[in-house]
Amino acid sequence: MVRLMFPGRGARRARALVPVFVTSLAVGAAALGIPQAAHAAMNFCAAPALQASETTQGEPGVQALIRGVDAHLSDPPKAMPRVHTEGTLPHEGIYDQSVDALKDMDLMRDAALAWRVTNDVRYLQFVDRFLYAWVTTYQPSFNPIDETHFDSLILAYDMTASALTVKTRNAAAAFVAKLGAGYVARIDAQRRPLAGTWRNNWQSHRIKLISLAAFTLGDRRMMKAAQRLFIEHLADNIGPDGVTVDFGERDALHYVVYDLQPLVTAALAARRFNRNWLRERGANGATLAAALDWLQPYALGEKTHEEFVHSTVAFDAKRRDAGLPGYAGPWDPKGAAELFHLAARIDGRYARVARQLSPNPPAWLTACLPLQAR
């Protein structure tokens, strides 16, 4: 990996920095008064030259993404010291406030992508302002359901790191490192074999956040831990036939998607260091590809499923009784559209089902990874 290099006392700081982009760097860094970096390296999103292409800029979805960011450029950050949505219904506790505040995460990611595509420094300044507010306010709870949306914060940092103001860059790097290391420590403290929320979808979300943190920071120790935990989770969570623990517990394809999407995101994060986690095998022979293949006939409409009929989790019935959509009746395959569009960025075999579910990927993914794998 290539790291940013600064002379003298800055060298130690440079070792903590993440891989960065060169696209937009000269414009953005000059506008913010930041020294320009000399090197760049791989990141989660596609190469800068590809991202700056007229084709990408002209995509209707990308233009909609930019308009969406424009509508919020003057908004203040909604940073909270704690968010909590897990296990609660709308209007309970701080659920509503948390949901509203967490919209900042995708806004930061989208603003970083808008900067990548347009070179407009206003988007970089937006990311800088929101990132600093969140990483200096929020205190990690290490509840992966509450914090799963912090993947967008990490991506926003990944895309702008070297062009941020020094105070934001340093604070954000420290926050991402604390988040990733904290999750690793908590998993490693558990007795084996892992059970309960340490082997179901909660663990998938932990591994996603660890992987994004590790590969964004280029932290070799955390990268090694991420791969170890990913492989362990394959055997804990996925059977050799591709059936997930969550399907058995929840009797819902909704939770299969919720389980697999963070694992595909983790695999995309690892790919930047030429690691193919889609084909990694757990101790029982399970692979992420097998789980996606198991889900594919349902996504294509060849099979159907009534959701949550035999769920063993009481909260599912509570949400059904509260009238929340998706907790009863047949599963809607469109809920897997983003999952398969992400998977298609790793393996082109999933492109057909992705296009059937949605002809166009989510706008952020069009801007981030416009090309499907072959």
Side-chain angles (χ1 to χ4, degrees):
M1 155 181 130
V2 181
R3 294 181 184 274
L4 295 181
M5 299 304 296
F6 295 90
R9 286 180 291 178
R12 268 182 292 178
R13 178 185 302 156
R15 286 194 289 269
L17 297 179
V18 303
V20 298
F21 302 123
V22 290
T23 298
S24 310
L25 184 56
V27 174
L32 288 176
I34 304 165
Q36 188 169 333
H39 303 284
M42 284 289 292
N43 58 284
F44 185 93
C45 291
L50 178 61
Q51 289 306 116
S53 70
E54 290 183 6
T55 301
T56 300
Q57 290 190 48
E59 285 283 349
V62 175
Q63 292 302 310
L65 178 147
I66 292 170
R67 289 193 299 272
V69 175
D70 286 344
H72 296 280
L73 278 178
S74 61
D75 287 2
K78 301 185 184 75
M80 299 171 62
R82 173 178 174 265
V83 296
H84 184 57
T85 59
E86 178 268 319
T88 59
L89 294 173
H91 318 312
E92 289 182 353
I94 60 170
Y95 180 98
D96 294 349
Q97 185 183 1
S98 297
V99 168
D100 189 47
L102 287 168
K103 292 175 183 177
D104 281 2
M105 301 298 159
D106 286 356
L107 266 176
M108 279 188 274
R109 178 201 64 199
D110 291 353
L113 287 165
W115 176 60
R116 282 284 305 278
V117 171
T118 67
N119 294 332
D120 189 330
V121 72
R122 294 178 304 152
Y123 303 124
L124 178 61
Q125 291 169 336
F126 180 93
V127 175
D128 193 285
R129 181 165 58 92
F130 272 56
L131 257 180
Y132 187 76
W134 273 96
V135 302
T136 58
T137 300
Y138 187 76
Q139 299 299 316
S141 65
F142 300 103
N143 179 320
I145 306 307
D146 288 342
E147 293 177 343
T148 188
H149 292 291
F150 279 77
D151 59 353
S152 292
L153 179 150
I154 298 172
L155 290 180
Y157 174 56
D158 186 25
M159 287 187 275
T160 59
S162 68
L164 297 168
T165 55
V166 172
K167 69 174 185 178
T168 300
R169 184 174 66 228
N170 291 347
F175 178 89
V176 172
K178 177 181 179 180
L179 193 70
Y183 274 112
V184 171
R186 282 159 177 79
I187 297 171
D188 284 346
Q190 303 304 308
R191 294 181 62 180
R192 265 53 178 183
L194 295 173
T197 60
W198 298 96
R199 67 182 298 225
N200 69 5
N201 68 87
W202 286 48
Q203 187 76 337
S204 295
H205 291 272
R206 291 185 189 101
I207 288 169
K208 175 187 70 172
L209 293 169
I210 292 167
S211 300
L212 285 169
F215 291 102
T216 291
L217 295 172
D219 183 323
R220 295 286 176 176
R221 180 178 296 179
M222 197 186 300
M223 287 159 58
K224 186 176 180 180
Q227 181 147 347
R228 168 175 57 83
L229 295 172
F230 181 91
I231 293 171
E232 179 183 38
H233 187 55
L234 291 175
D236 285 343
N237 184 265
I238 301 172
D241 57 358
V243 179
T244 65
V245 164
D246 289 82
F247 187 69
E249 291 180 345
R250 314 305 280 266
D251 189 27
L253 296 175
H254 169 92
Y255 268 96
V256 176
V257 174
Y258 196 58
D259 199 4
L260 298 184
Q261 188 160 321
L263 294 180
V264 171
T265 303
L268 280 167
R271 189 180 63 166
R272 66 196 287 176
F273 280 79
N274 297 315
R275 303 184 187 197
N276 183 3
W277 285 5
L278 193 65
R279 303 294 172 186
E280 284 284 359
R281 289 191 177 275
N284 63 346
T287 66
L288 178 55
L292 289 167
D293 292 345
W294 180 88
L295 179 61
Q296 186 164 293
Y298 295 97
L300 290 170
E302 296 166 0
K303 295 182 178 181
T304 60
H305 181 73
E306 290 289 318
E307 293 285 85
F308 297 100
V309 174
H310 302 293
S311 174
T312 62
V313 178
F315 187 55
D316 293 338
K318 185 178 179 182
R319 288 186 287 192
R320 180 197 63 214
D321 295 343
L324 271 63
Y327 290 92
W331 179 63
D332 183 357
K334 293 188 184 303
E338 185 166 356
L339 166 62
F340 279 102
H341 275 291
L342 285 164
R345 267 64 190 166
I346 304 176
D347 189 328
R349 292 189 308 115
Y350 301 112
R352 179 174 73 95
V353 62
R355 286 194 298 267
Q356 178 170 315
L357 294 171
S358 175
N360 300 306
W364 79 267
L365 192 55
T366 300
C368 175
L369 294 168
L371 298 182
Q372 297 171 343
R374 293 183 178 180

